[in-house]
Amino acid sequence: YHPELLPKAEFVEEILSEKEGYISSIVCDEIGICSLILGGGRETKESEIDLSVGLVLHKKKGDFVKKDESLATIHANDLEKLEAAKKRFLAAYSFEQNAICTEPLIRGIIE
C-alpha cells in the first residue's frame, strides 16, 4: 500500500514503445522474467530479492500506443541487467493497427 517506503533503485528509466498501434497481446511470463533478471525474484532458493527493482506498467492490452510513448518504468541497480530486461520486455509486446476487442476486467458478480 505504500511503495514510497521501499528502497529506491539506482537507475529508473522509461521503456518507450518502438511501434505504434494497439497492444494486441503481452506475454506475461516474459514480464515476470524481466523482474527476475533485475533481481526482483529468486533464481535459486538461496537468492536474495532486491526490493528496489521492478517494473511499473503504464499500458495494457487493447490500449493504443504511439511510437516513443512510455509502456513502463523500469527500476534497476545494474545497467547490464536493465538493458537485458528492457530488450526482453519489448519483445513481450505485440501490436496491431486495428483496435482489438478486450474482455471486461470483471465478468460478473456472484451473490
Side-chain angles (χ1 to χ4, degrees):
Y1 293 111
H2 299 283
E4 68 277 2
L5 298 177
L6 291 170
K8 305 291 182 226
E10 187 174 349
F11 306 104
V12 178
E13 186 176 312
E14 296 295 315
I15 301 177
L16 304 178
S17 178
E18 296 176 337
K19 299 176 182 176
E20 179 172 298
Y22 293 90
I23 300 172
S24 58
S25 69
I26 304 169
V27 182
C28 298
D29 295 355
E30 288 296 311
I31 305 302
I33 291 171
C34 292
S35 182
L36 181 69
I37 289 168
L38 295 169
R42 289 192 174 98
E43 291 185 48
T44 66
K45 190 168 66 172
E46 293 78 26
S47 297
E48 288 193 35
I49 296 174
D50 184 348
L51 298 176
S52 67
V53 302
L55 299 149
V56 178
L57 305 181
H58 303 300
K59 300 291 181 181
K60 63 183 184 302
K61 182 179 174 182
D63 288 349
F64 181 79
V65 180
K66 294 180 182 177
K67 188 176 187 304
D68 294 327
E69 189 174 351
S70 179
L71 294 172
T73 304
I74 188 168
H75 298 258
N77 287 317
D78 180 301
L79 283 176
E80 192 173 302
K81 290 179 180 180
L82 184 148
E83 289 304 319
K86 185 175 171 181
K87 183 178 178 181
R88 197 158 187 154
F89 181 93
L90 288 169
Y93 274 66
S94 297
F95 297 87
E96 288 187 16
Q97 292 306 308
N98 298 321
I100 63 162
C101 294
T102 57
E103 295 182 26
L105 186 59
I106 300 171
R107 292 186 185 193
I109 298 174
I110 300 173
E111 294 184 35

